[in-house]
Amino acid sequence: MAQKKYLQSKLTQFLREDKIQLWKPPYTDENKEVGLALKDLAKKYSDKLECCENEVEKVMEEIRCKAVERGTGNEHYKTTGIATIEVFLPPRVKKDRKNLLETRLHITGRELRSKIAETFGFQENYIKIVINKKQLQLGETLKEQGVTHNVKAMVLELKQSEEDVRKNFQVEEEKQNEAKLEEKRIQRTKRGLEILAERAEMVDPEATPYLDIANQTGRSIRIPPSERKALMLAMGYHEKGRAFLKRKEYGIALPCLLDADKYFCECCRELLDTVDNYAVLQLDIVWCYFRLGQLECLDDAEKKLKLAQECFRKCYGENHQRLLHIKGNCGKEKVLFLRLYLLQGIRNYHSGNGEEAYEYLNKACQLLKELYIDPSKVHSLMQLGFSAQEARLGLRACDGNVDHAAVHITNRREELDQIKKEEREKKRRRLENINHLKGMGYSPRAARQALHQAGGNLEEALKILLRNPQMWWLNDSAPESSNRQQSPSQEKIDQLVYMGFDAVAAKAALRVFRGNVQLAAQTLVLNGGRLPPDLQLSAEDSLSTPSTSPSDSAGTSSASTDEDMETEAVNEVLEDIPEHEEDYLDSTLEDEEIIIAEYLSYVENIKSAAKKN
C-alpha cells in the first residue's frame, strides 16, 4: 500500500511537470474510455522509474479514472447541486477503500451518517465521521460545517472487528454491545472532563488529583479564567486520547485528539508557545492517521508537522537552548523529535519526495541509535528501587550513564516533591479562601472571581464582593430561578429591623440572599438601607413562593444517583491521567524502530533504481 501510494504520487508529479491531462484526448476518448496513448506514456514513465510497465499502466489508469470521475462530478454538481464526497473506510473493510457518495449539502450530519452507514454496511450509531479534520456534528447541516463538493470523509468505527465477516447474530449482537459501551465511555469521558474543568479549584489538592498545566520545571502556569476551562478540556481529551493510543485503539483515540485540538485552539497563542502540549498533540494526531492506515489524510500532516516543529522551536528555543538552560539536558525530548522526523519522512515518501523522505528517515534512524537503551542498565536502576519508566527517562537524560541517571532521578524526585508541596500549599490556601467566602454566603464562582481580581488577597476579595453585591448572582443557575425563594422567616426580618433597617427592605434583601442575614445586612449598610436597583425583585417574584410536591421528597435519592454517576465519570478520566509528569516522553521506541526500517527499505529501493538509471 505504501509503495503504491509513492508510485501514485510520483506519477502525479510527472504528469504535472509534463502538463499532461489524462482526462482529455489522446488519453481519454469522447466516450471517456482509455486511449491508446496511455500505454506509450506508461512505457515512458516505467523506464524513468525502473518499474514494471504493467504496474505503472495500472496506476495511471486509476489516476485517469479518478480525474474523469472528478470532472463528471464537477459538471453534475454545477447542474444539480448534488455534491460528491469521497469516503475512506476502516482498514478491515475488504473492498476498495476509496468510495464516492453523492449528497446534497443541506442535509444534517446525522442524515449523512445514516446514508454512509446504509451504503457501506455499518451500524449507524457505532461510527463517527471526520471531515476537514473535525468530527461531523450531527445536528448541523453539512453546509454549516463547511462541507463542500469533493471533500474527503473518514469513517471511524468505535470498536473494530478482527473478523472479516460477522458469522452469526450472536457475534453481531456482541459487537453492537461493545460499540454501545464505547459510546458510553466517550460520553462519560466528556462529562468527567467537564466536571473536572468546572470544579478544579474546589477539590482538596491532597485528596483529589486533577489536570494542571505546568512549564518545563513542573511549576503551574497562571491561566486566565476565561481560558482555563478550554485548556483543561483540551488537556483532558489529549490524555484520554493518549491512553487509547497506548492501547492501540486508534479509532477511539482520534476523536478524542481532534476534540483536544478544538479546545486548544480556544486558548491564546502565547500560552501554547509556553508549553509543548500542543506540539505533542499534533504529532499524536498525525501518528493516529498513519496507524489507522488513512494515508490520504496525511495531506493534512504537512501543516500539522510544521506547526509541531514551530511550537517546539518556540517552547524549547533554537537548538534546544531554552530547554538546556531550564533542564540541563534534552535527551528525553529527543523522543519527540524522532517521531517528528519519522512522520515527516513518511509524509514525504507518500508525496513522492524520495530524497526528502530519505533525509528525514535517516535523521530518525540516527536519533534511534542515540536513544537506544541497554535493557541491563534499566534492570540495574530498577534494582535500586526506580521504575522502568524512570530508568528509561533518566538514562536518556544522562546519555546512558547508570550512575548519573540514578543521581538525576533522585534529584528530580526531590525537586518535584518540593514543587508539588509548594503548589499544593498555594492551592490549599486558595481553597480555604474560597471556602471562607462560601461560608459567608457567596457562591463558589463569585468567590473565585473576586479572589482572581484581588490577586488572591482575601480581604481585598471581600471588599470587591461588598462593593459589587450583584456578584452574588455568579452561580450555576440564572437569577430568575434564584429569585423565586420562600419568604424569609419573621425571626430574620426582626433581626434586621432591630439593626435599624426598614421591614420591607429587610424582607426584600433576605429574599434576594436566600435568608442570609449577614449578606443582607452588609448590602443594606453599603446602600443606605435600600437594595440596589439591579437586585430589587418584582412584585410578582416577591409574592411567589415555591410549592412542595411529592417529587421534592425524591430529590435526595435522585441527587445521590447523579452524584454517583458524576463520581464514576470523574474517576474514569482520572485513571487515564499518568502519574509521571513526563509520561509523554517515555517510549520503548519498538514501533518506531520497525517503521523506520520498513520505510528506509522503500527509499533504498528508490535510490537503487535511480543508480541503475
Side-chain angles (χ1 to χ4, degrees):
M1 179 62 187
Q3 291 165 305
K4 181 179 178 181
K5 175 69 175 170
Y6 173 82
L7 183 57
Q8 287 174 334
S9 299
K10 207 66 187 174
L11 290 172
T12 301
Q13 280 185 9
F14 290 161
L15 291 168
R16 193 176 294 119
E17 289 168 3
D18 294 342
K19 298 181 180 179
I20 292 175
Q21 299 174 322
L22 291 182
W23 62 93
K24 293 182 177 180
Y27 309 104
T28 299
D29 62 24
E30 62 274 8
N31 297 319
K32 298 185 178 177
E33 297 294 331
V34 59
L36 295 176
L38 187 73
K39 194 170 186 66
D40 295 334
L41 191 61
K43 174 70 170 63
K44 172 186 172 183
Y45 289 155
S46 65
D47 291 343
K48 193 173 183 179
L49 290 169
E50 286 287 324
C51 289
C52 171
E53 184 179 339
N54 289 338
E55 184 64 25
V56 171
E57 186 177 352
K58 182 180 176 182
V59 172
M60 286 186 64
E61 173 59 6
E62 289 179 9
I63 295 172
R64 189 194 70 83
C65 289
K66 186 174 180 180
V68 171
E69 283 176 359
R70 184 177 289 268
T72 303
N74 289 341
E75 293 173 9
H76 187 57
Y77 176 64
K78 288 177 183 176
T79 56
T80 66
I82 297 176
T84 300
I85 293 178
E86 191 172 5
V87 181
F88 295 91
L89 304 177
R92 72 165 188 83
V93 179
K94 299 296 184 178
K95 61 173 78 172
D96 182 2
R97 291 172 51 222
K98 290 182 185 177
N99 299 273
L100 301 180
L101 186 75
E102 293 187 339
T103 182
R104 294 192 180 275
L105 299 178
H106 61 71
I107 68 170
T108 64
R110 182 172 283 101
E111 290 173 303
L112 177 63
R113 185 183 69 169
S114 178
K115 186 177 286 191
I116 288 175
E118 182 181 354
T119 304
F120 302 110
F122 294 104
Q123 291 291 324
E124 180 180 345
N125 294 327
Y126 310 139
I127 59 173
K128 289 187 178 291
I129 314 298
V130 175
I131 298 181
N132 293 332
K133 288 81 73 179
K134 298 177 182 177
Q135 280 194 68
L136 185 69
Q137 300 301 306
L138 301 182
E140 300 177 11
T141 68
L142 303 185
K143 191 172 184 180
E144 288 171 340
Q145 298 181 67
V147 178
T148 58
H149 174 58
N150 281 333
V151 77
K152 296 176 181 179
M154 186 200 309
V155 177
L156 300 174
E157 285 184 290
L158 293 181
K159 192 69 178 179
Q160 294 185 20
S161 169
E162 297 297 329
E163 301 175 357
D164 295 339
V165 180
R166 292 171 174 167
K167 296 178 182 178
N168 52 47
F169 177 77
Q170 184 178 358
V171 173
E172 177 74 22
E173 190 174 35
E174 287 174 0
K175 293 301 178 184
Q176 288 184 21
N177 289 337
E178 284 181 5
K180 195 178 294 184
L181 287 172
E182 293 298 348
E183 178 62 24
K184 286 182 178 178
R185 284 173 67 190
I186 291 170
Q187 293 305 317
R188 283 200 303 273
T189 294
K190 183 177 181 180
R191 181 58 189 143
L193 288 169
E194 288 174 347
I195 292 168
L196 281 176
E198 290 164 1
R199 303 181 184 177
E201 291 182 304
M202 299 307 299
V203 296
D204 182 349
E206 283 283 4
T208 309
Y210 59 92
L211 296 168
D212 201 0
I213 189 162
N215 58 22
Q216 274 75 41
T217 67
R219 294 190 180 276
S220 296
I221 294 173
R222 186 173 175 83
I223 303 164
S226 59
E227 297 182 24
R228 183 173 183 82
K229 183 174 180 179
L231 186 58
M232 291 191 69
L233 286 170
M235 292 169 57
Y237 276 115
H238 191 188
E239 290 296 350
K240 197 69 181 178
R242 289 188 69 248
F244 286 127
L245 279 180
K246 288 180 182 179
R247 298 194 284 268
K248 301 188 185 301
E249 297 181 68
Y250 304 110
I252 307 173
L254 185 57
C256 290
L257 297 174
L258 292 174
D259 279 339
D261 196 33
K262 177 181 71 175
Y263 284 112
F264 266 125
C265 289
E266 294 180 16
C267 302
C268 67
R269 188 73 248 174
E270 291 76 15
L271 179 61
L272 299 183
D273 290 340
T274 306
V275 292
D276 56 10
N277 301 61
Y278 191 51
V280 175
L281 174 63
Q282 304 309 306
L283 293 185
D284 288 341
I285 291 174
V286 179
W287 183 256
C288 214
Y289 283 157
F290 170 65
R291 299 302 279 177
L292 281 167
Q294 299 288 359
L295 301 181
E296 287 75 12
C297 290
L298 292 176
D299 294 345
D300 179 45
E302 182 175 10
K303 177 183 174 183
K304 289 194 176 299
L305 295 176
K306 281 183 178 178
L307 183 57
Q309 193 163 17
E310 181 62 15
C311 285
F312 283 138
R313 185 186 66 78
K314 291 179 178 177
C315 181
Y316 296 160
E318 295 289 350
N319 301 316
H320 306 168
Q321 289 176 352
R322 182 169 177 267
L323 189 63
L324 288 167
H325 177 71
I326 293 171
K327 283 190 169 183
N329 68 81
C330 59
K332 291 173 283 191
E333 282 73 15
K334 286 181 180 179
V335 168
L336 301 176
F337 287 90
L338 185 150
R339 182 165 285 191
L340 173 65
Y341 297 148
L342 172 56
L343 290 171
Q344 286 174 322
I346 292 171
R347 187 201 66 78
N348 274 285
Y349 177 78
H350 289 293
S351 299
N353 303 320
E355 290 184 8
E356 290 85 348
Y358 179 76
E359 181 182 341
Y360 281 116
L361 290 168
N362 195 45
K363 287 170 75 172
C365 189
Q366 292 302 316
L367 270 183
L368 183 66
K369 292 175 183 176
E370 283 183 40
L371 295 170
Y372 170 77
I373 295 174
D374 186 341
S376 65
K377 293 183 178 181
V378 174
H379 182 67
S380 297
L381 287 169
M382 290 177 69
Q383 286 185 318
L384 296 176
F386 302 122
S387 68
Q389 183 176 66
E390 285 179 315
R392 284 191 294 270
L393 291 168
L395 287 166
R396 283 180 180 143
C398 300
D399 297 322
N401 187 298
V402 176
D403 293 335
H404 292 174
V407 173
H408 172 83
I409 297 169
T410 302
N411 290 342
R412 185 59 178 159
R413 276 184 175 183
E414 293 173 355
E415 182 184 350
L416 285 174
D417 284 344
Q418 182 60 31
I419 290 172
K420 286 175 181 176
K421 183 178 178 181
E422 293 172 7
E423 294 296 326
R424 278 198 301 267
E425 186 58 33
K426 279 166 45 178
K427 287 166 187 167
R428 184 180 290 105
R429 286 198 301 269
R430 181 169 175 78
L431 182 59
E432 286 174 355
N433 289 341
I434 290 172
N435 286 334
H436 183 84
L437 294 173
K438 279 177 62 184
M440 297 178 67
Y442 293 104
S443 71
R445 184 177 172 193
R448 289 197 300 270
Q449 183 161 319
L451 283 166
H452 177 74
Q453 292 179 19
N457 185 292
L458 180 60
E459 291 183 7
E460 286 299 318
L462 184 55
K463 289 178 183 178
I464 290 170
L465 288 168
L466 290 173
R467 288 195 301 267
N468 301 277
Q470 70 276 8
M471 287 182 70
W472 189 82
W473 291 125
L474 290 174
N475 52 38
D476 293 332
S477 57
E480 291 77 13
S481 62
S482 300
N483 288 342
R484 293 179 170 79
Q485 302 296 318
Q486 280 185 313
S487 295
S489 67
Q490 188 62 43
E491 181 184 355
K492 291 182 177 180
I493 296 173
D494 290 344
Q495 281 182 269
L496 290 177
V497 170
Y498 182 76
M499 295 178 194
F501 299 114
D502 177 73
V504 175
K507 184 175 181 179
L510 286 168
R511 276 186 54 77
V512 167
F513 294 109
R514 299 181 185 176
N516 188 304
V517 176
Q518 186 177 6
L519 283 179
Q522 289 172 347
T523 302
L524 290 172
V525 167
L526 289 171
N527 291 277
R530 302 179 62 184
L531 278 179
D534 54 349
L535 291 184
Q536 290 177 7
L537 306 180
S538 67
E540 181 183 348
D541 287 329
S542 300
L543 293 173
S544 65
T545 57
S547 60
T548 303
S549 65
S551 62
D552 293 332
S553 62
T556 303
S557 174
S558 174
S560 176
T561 302
D562 290 344
E563 189 174 333
D564 290 342
M565 291 176 66
E566 288 186 348
T567 300
E568 180 185 350
V570 170
N571 288 339
E572 195 162 306
V573 171
L574 293 177
E575 71 183 16
D576 279 329
I577 297 177
E579 292 183 10
H580 200 289
E581 77 286 350
E582 292 182 327
D583 177 82
Y584 71 105
L585 298 176
D586 178 43
S587 173
T588 61
L589 300 179
E590 292 174 357
D591 288 345
E592 285 85 349
E593 183 177 8
I594 294 170
I595 296 166
I596 288 171
E598 178 187 352
Y599 274 84
L600 273 176
S601 70
Y602 296 158
V603 294
E604 288 290 355
N605 289 338
I606 297 169
K607 290 170 70 71
S608 298
K611 286 179 181 178
K612 289 179 183 177
N613 249 355

